[in-house]
Every structure is written in structure tokens, then in C-alpha cells.
Amino acid sequence: MSDEEDLEDFEPDLDDLEREDDEKEIEEWEDYRKEGEEESEEWVSTPLTEDMMKEGLSLLCKTGNGLAHAYVKLEVKDRDLTDIYLLHSYIHLRYVDISENHLTDLSPLNYLTHLLWLKADGNQLRSARLNELPYLQIASFAYNQITDTEGISHPRLASLDLKGNRIPMVTGLDPQKLISLHTLELRGNQLSSTLGINLPKLKNLFLVDHWVKGWCLEGDTVLGARMPGF
């Protein structure tokens, strides 16, 4: 059999390949985070500025009664930001990417009540806590230093990514408030139990380098099968 035939007949295990990619990504982010912690004392205070806003804003849309317009998308990733206070006055933003900065505080986002999509990966966050944002549907806080799941109560939130943090236990995910959450990513944390994950619409739960599809039951059981290491 020729090499070409071997390649044609070869069917890779996609689950294994995806698992290897995920593990590599988590390891790379762990190295990046350790380097960031070592250099944290050397970070220069870098607040978000109007010039940065002008560069990062896009997607002009109608607002309010349709007579006014505003930019609703912002990308300011990898700008060494330590402060996003300026965002509190940009209340029409719907899509915000503030990933790969040095942020420790997301409170200015509480003013963005039209926010639909948020990416805050690769910062120095210790919490994902925000006020209830009525329209937020997708939120990613991967590869931070988050230690709990408190303060996440957005009624339209459908996908939540907390991969690569330091969460030992899931607490505060209220099934009465998170009525739309169907995908929860928790790989790369320090979980020892699925206790606290009891969400009515949950379909995809990522825990230990692979995903489980179906309902998550409170306790140590997912889909009636005990998870490895749990």
C-alpha cells in the first residue's frame, strides 16, 4: 500500500486531536499567566483613552428611537490596559473585546446595559461579577485568575466560558436567573465536584478536557455517569 493510500485510509481521532489542542492551549496560557504575574509589579498604569476608542470602535447602528446612530462594537485587545473606566460613558456598546490586557476590574461594564457579547480573556481578573445585564448572551472570561462563579446572573446568557481559571467549586449559578444558559466551559480549573451546576437549559458542559452533552444534575453525576476524577 502506498503512502498516499495510507493517508487516504487514515482517519484521525478528532476527539483526541481536539483534546491535545485544548491541553496545549491551557498550558500555553498557564505559562503566559505565570510570566504576567512575575511582571505585574512592573506594569505601567495604562487607562483606556479616547484615541484608543476611536481606533477600536466599529459597526454603526441605530439607537433608541432610530433617529440617532452610535458605534456598537469595540475591540481593544492586547493594549496593556489596566483601566477601562472610560467605557462607562459608551452605553450603546453591544460587542466588546477587552481580552489580553491587565485588567482587574470590570465594573465600568455595568453601565453597558445593551451589551450582547463580551470577551475578557487573558486578563488578571479574580472575579466575573457584574450587575445583571439584561441582553448579554455570550461572555468569555477564560485564562484569568477567577476563583469563584459568584455574581453571574444575566437572564439571556447562553454561553459562559470560564476555562483556565482557578475555580475550586461552582457556587452562585442561580437556575432561577440563568434560564438561558446552554453552554458552560470550565476546563482547566481546580474543580473536584459538579456540585452547584444545576441549570435548566444546560446542554453542553465542558469539564475535564472533553465535553458532555445533556442535562447536568446537581451532585457528582452527569448524564447518569460519574465523571473521571470527580
Side-chain angles (χ1 to χ4, degrees):
M1 183 178 290
S2 69
D3 290 341
E4 290 182 359
E5 289 175 331
D6 285 341
L7 289 173
E8 289 176 357
D9 293 337
F10 176 67
E11 295 183 1
D13 188 325
L14 295 180
D15 288 339
D16 286 344
L17 291 176
E18 290 176 358
R19 188 177 302 117
E20 290 175 4
D21 288 343
D22 290 335
E23 290 174 351
K24 183 178 180 181
E25 181 183 10
I26 291 173
E27 289 175 1
E28 289 175 349
W29 272 101
E30 276 295 330
D31 292 340
Y32 174 80
R33 181 164 57 188
K34 289 177 181 177
E35 291 176 4
E37 290 174 357
E38 292 172 357
E39 298 172 359
S40 61
E41 295 181 0
E42 302 175 6
W43 289 339
V44 177
S45 178
T46 308
L48 182 63
T49 65
E50 292 287 359
D51 287 340
M52 292 180 188
M53 293 295 297
K54 291 177 182 177
E55 293 176 9
L57 286 169
S58 62
L59 193 58
L60 190 64
C61 292
K62 292 181 179 180
T63 63
N65 59 10
L67 300 178
H69 291 76
Y71 289 106
V72 300
K73 183 178 180 180
L74 175 68
E75 181 179 317
V76 284
K77 63 182 296 185
D78 198 15
R79 303 296 293 267
D80 292 327
L81 294 174
T82 58
D83 180 358
I84 54 171
Y85 175 76
L86 187 60
L87 283 187
H88 82 282
S89 60
Y90 285 80
I91 60 174
H92 297 296
L93 285 173
R94 301 175 192 171
Y95 310 93
V96 172
D97 185 349
I98 49 175
S99 56
E100 298 175 41
N101 286 292
H102 306 308
L103 300 173
T104 60
D105 177 25
L106 296 182
S107 59
L109 298 177
N110 289 327
Y111 294 88
L112 308 186
T113 55
H114 298 283
L115 195 63
L116 298 172
W117 183 93
L118 172 64
K119 186 174 183 180
D121 299 354
N123 281 284
Q124 299 296 315
L125 301 173
R126 296 187 180 278
S127 173
R129 181 183 294 274
L130 288 168
N131 292 348
E132 185 176 302
L133 297 172
Y135 302 108
L136 185 62
Q137 297 176 26
I138 298 175
S140 183
F141 305 95
Y143 307 112
N144 278 278
Q145 299 178 35
I146 295 170
T147 57
D148 62 57
T149 53
E150 298 286 339
I152 303 172
S153 58
H154 317 293
R156 286 184 171 83
L157 188 63
S159 177
L160 174 62
D161 190 343
L162 291 165
K163 176 171 64 258
N165 279 285
R166 298 176 176 177
I167 301 168
M169 180 179 294
V170 175
T171 59
L173 296 185
D174 188 343
Q176 301 299 317
K177 294 182 177 180
L178 293 171
I179 56 176
S180 303
L181 189 62
H182 61 66
T183 298
L184 178 59
E185 169 65 88
L186 287 167
R187 282 176 292 186
N189 280 282
Q190 301 168 2
L191 294 172
S192 59
S193 169
T194 58
L195 188 68
I197 306 175
N198 183 25
L199 302 164
K201 295 292 182 66
L202 195 63
K203 295 180 180 179
N204 302 313
L205 173 61
F206 298 79
L207 289 172
V208 282
D209 300 325
H210 65 281
W211 61 274
V212 176
K213 187 174 183 179
W215 300 106
C216 177
L217 305 178
E218 186 171 359
D220 289 334
T221 304
V222 178
L223 289 180
R226 190 171 296 277
M227 297 294 296
F230 281 68

